Amino acid sequence: MSHLFVNCEYGISGDLTLAALVDLGADPQYIESELKKLPIDDFSMSFSKKDEKGITANKLNLNFAELDEDHDHHGHHHHSAQGIFQLIEESDLADRVKERSLAIFKEVARAEGKIHGKPADQIHFHEVGAMDSIIDIIGVCLALEDLDVDYLTFSKVPTGHGKIEIAHGLYPVPAPATMEILVGVPLSAFTAEGELTTPTGAAFAKVLADDYADVVEGTVEKIGYGVGDREFDHPNVLRIALLKKN
């Protein structure tokens, strides 16, 4: 069993987290093969190295098969929260993967439901329900299982500032659902123009964290870096450290 320190002082998202966990040692073949057992759109997953302002980090690359007219303009189905819950519950995923994945999706659905005035199970996801986010969330839980992680410490979470275009129009950063998810999560004073933490990243920090700290005690065994596509003045990386078992 492992203890991870998720150093998200520059922000956190689904793709950064999955890429960092694979860089840390999670088996990408295991993650992809388990995901492909689910009744979701056909996809392929790969990882590449990217130099991000002097840091060599791991980048997630997702490709989807040609899609038909039933898909939205992003190329993916919109999924209902209830449909995603059922997909996970009826899967053959490991129990802890199911528990963590369900908890994350239920937190996002709760936040979206509160914002839109609907019961959580009636929410139809837009950004978070897209295929790439389903892969990110369940993929991260599979990576944690592969690494046998039982304890996670997160640093304080930054939100960023400015405006962001979401499915319902132009909103201030953090987006309403992200801010709702972050209730009870310690926020960082670090800021930059743009969205530093996505709803998926916020849900990881809310649901998966066993505690929050700017520094942790222990011996670091390995470090993984995940990088995304967005450009900032700071390195757009997420750093996750594996701590030595006591």
Side-chain angles (χ1 to χ4, degrees):
M1 292 186 284
S2 305
H3 178 189
L4 294 187
F5 175 47
V6 182
N7 187 343
C8 51
E9 60 184 278
Y10 281 156
I12 183 169
S13 64
D15 59 327
L16 265 66
T17 308
L18 183 52
L21 289 171
V22 169
D23 196 39
L24 196 63
D27 181 0
Q29 283 73 38
Y30 162 75
I31 296 167
E32 184 171 4
S33 65
E34 289 294 303
L35 285 168
K36 284 184 176 293
K37 295 177 184 178
L38 301 174
I40 57 178
D41 297 339
D42 189 27
F43 74 96
S44 64
M45 171 189 294
S46 65
F47 294 87
S48 57
K49 296 299 182 183
K50 177 183 176 181
D51 182 279
E52 175 66 6
K53 294 181 170 58
I55 298 173
T56 300
N58 207 30
K59 184 177 182 299
L60 169 65
N61 307 295
L62 289 177
N63 291 293
F64 298 93
E66 288 297 318
L67 302 170
D68 59 35
E69 60 196 16
D70 292 331
H71 293 68
D72 70 10
H73 67 283
H74 292 300
H76 313 308
H77 284 301
H78 281 182
H79 294 265
S80 69
Q82 188 57 48
I84 294 174
F85 301 160
Q86 185 176 352
L87 179 152
I88 295 170
E89 289 166 347
E90 294 178 355
S91 73
D92 293 325
L93 295 168
D95 289 344
R96 189 162 56 167
V97 176
K98 286 186 181 183
E99 290 167 7
R100 284 171 165 164
S101 299
L102 278 170
I104 293 165
F105 274 113
K106 285 181 177 180
E107 174 58 27
V108 178
R110 180 201 65 79
E112 292 277 4
K114 183 172 181 181
I115 296 299
H116 300 305
K118 296 180 179 180
D121 60 359
Q122 292 182 18
I123 288 295
H124 278 259
F125 291 118
H126 298 285
E127 292 90 344
V128 178
M131 264 290 298
D132 50 359
S133 291
I134 291 175
I135 290 171
D136 288 345
I137 289 172
I138 301 177
V140 162
C141 294
L142 285 164
L144 293 174
E145 190 69 12
D146 189 50
L147 294 169
D148 196 19
V149 174
D150 67 319
Y151 199 92
L152 292 101
T153 299
F154 280 70
S155 67
K156 293 176 183 175
V157 179
T159 62
H161 67 271
K163 300 288 191 298
I164 184 174
E165 187 76 34
I166 62 175
H168 303 283
L170 190 66
Y171 279 78
V173 174
T178 303
M179 193 73 260
E180 177 62 32
I181 293 167
L182 289 172
V183 170
V185 175
L187 302 182
S188 165
F190 177 79
T191 192
E193 180 79 25
E195 183 184 43
L196 298 179
T197 294
T198 65
T200 299
F204 289 161
K206 177 72 166 281
V207 173
L208 297 177
D210 293 290
D211 67 358
Y212 302 95
D214 289 327
V215 294
V216 291
E217 182 178 350
T219 303
V220 175
E221 283 194 332
K222 193 175 181 183
I223 300 170
Y225 289 91
V227 64
D229 290 314
R230 297 179 184 178
E231 293 294 330
F232 296 99
D233 290 335
H234 61 272
N236 180 25
V237 297
L238 174 70
R239 180 169 62 188
I240 302 180
L242 172 65
L243 302 180
K244 186 176 181 179
K245 303 171 189 175
N246 293 324

